[in-house]
Amino acid sequence: NNNNLFSIDRQTGLVTRGIRALDRETSSSHVLEVEGYNSDESSMRSSVRVIIYVDDANDEVPVFTQQQYNRLGLRETAGIGTSVIVVRATDPDSGDGGAVAYSIVSGSDHKFEVDISTGLLTTVDYLDYETKTSYLMNVSATDQAPPFHRVFCTVYVTLLNELDEAVAFFSAGYEATLQENIATGTEVVQVQARSPDNLNQLTYHFDPDTSPAALALFKIDSVTVSGGNVTDHLTL
């Protein structure tokens, strides 16, 4: 009778719970040795073993292993079904009271889902860094017996920018009018393009199919995008 969890009526032998509450998570059973003897407390006595089993009452709440889970640098080109991160909550109750179900409460933008049993977060739609660079989701864990305790954690996911967008010029075409006696090195026109990925500095080159005659007359600065420059005089 550790901690005096039980008491016994000396006259009737009725065993009752003591003033301290039982806790199945600490001890799921208790073994008591009860003695019975003559009223004069003589040596003529006997004993019996009483085993008390404690049923679970779902009095514990789930607890996440972390309050926030982070997945930094998830590739924006990750396909549907890509594993992102695993969230985990534990509940010491038994049976359904200790079984935990996971759910995304908010913040996924329909891009992620969580496995109800394992807590594995996966992608369910294509991602795009240029549309959204990060997600902050609220995820819940609920035990499966009344009163259905529910707790929450956050999951922070950032995307890794990748070269998946096409470079585009600001204009579909550029025109310039030159005098035939223009000096060598004169700036002709400046072209400009942009990359939505914005990862690296753009470089400019003439298309390989450009005619050799044009290539002999003009050049383009690949870095400063200062435009085409006449490199030789036009001649008859």
Side-chain angles (χ1 to χ4, degrees):
N1 191 22
N2 295 332
N3 300 319
N4 294 316
L5 292 176
F6 304 95
S7 62
I8 189 169
D9 188 290
R10 293 174 60 87
Q11 303 300 320
T12 66
L14 177 64
V15 177
T16 57
R17 204 202 80 181
I19 61 174
R20 299 188 60 179
L22 301 176
D23 184 16
R24 189 206 63 85
E25 286 70 42
T26 301
S27 182
S28 61
S29 65
H30 302 270
V31 180
L32 306 176
E33 292 289 339
V34 178
E35 282 188 333
Y37 47 85
N38 294 331
S39 59
D40 59 1
E41 298 192 18
S42 67
S43 61
M44 299 185 63
R45 63 182 64 190
S46 64
S47 62
V48 67
R49 176 173 294 181
V50 177
I51 303 176
I52 299 173
Y53 299 96
V54 182
D55 288 336
D56 189 31
N58 193 22
D59 56 344
E60 301 288 339
V61 300
V63 177
F64 277 103
T65 57
Q66 299 174 214
Q67 281 303 111
Q68 178 168 308
Y69 298 82
N70 298 316
R71 172 64 188 272
L72 307 180
L74 176 65
R75 296 179 57 189
E76 66 169 319
T77 55
I80 295 175
T82 298
S83 298
V84 179
I85 201 168
V86 176
V87 299
R88 184 170 183 267
T90 58
D91 189 323
D93 288 310
S94 64
D96 289 342
V100 175
Y102 302 94
S103 174
I104 296 179
V105 179
S106 63
S108 71
D109 290 356
H110 306 292
K111 299 291 186 181
F112 305 89
E113 71 176 7
V114 64
D115 187 279
I116 189 173
S117 300
T118 66
L120 174 63
L121 201 75
T122 57
T123 58
V124 293
D125 197 1
Y126 295 106
L127 305 172
D128 183 23
Y129 180 90
E130 287 67 43
T131 301
K132 191 168 184 177
T133 61
S134 64
Y135 296 84
L136 183 62
M137 290 169 274
N138 192 18
V139 177
S140 69
T142 309
D143 59 27
Q144 300 302 289
F148 300 103
H149 301 107
R150 192 182 193 193
V151 295
F152 302 89
C153 74
T154 56
V155 176
Y156 181 57
V157 178
T158 63
L159 300 187
L160 177 66
N161 194 10
E162 296 183 280
L163 284 171
D164 62 338
E165 301 288 341
V167 175
F169 281 97
F170 283 93
S171 177
Y174 297 83
E175 294 184 359
T177 301
L178 306 177
Q179 292 182 340
E180 61 177 332
N181 62 347
I182 193 172
T184 299
T186 300
E187 187 174 292
V188 176
V189 69
Q190 182 175 349
V191 300
Q192 190 174 5
R194 65 180 294 273
S195 170
D197 292 310
N198 197 29
L199 286 177
N200 299 302
Q201 182 179 20
L202 297 179
T203 58
Y204 296 81
H205 305 277
F206 288 124
D207 189 288
D209 293 331
T210 303
S211 68
L215 292 175
L217 294 173
F218 299 92
K219 72 175 183 179
I220 187 170
D221 191 301
S222 64
V223 177
T224 64
V225 300
S226 59
N229 298 290
V230 177
T231 58
D232 199 354
H233 290 290
L234 292 174
T235 58
L236 295 175

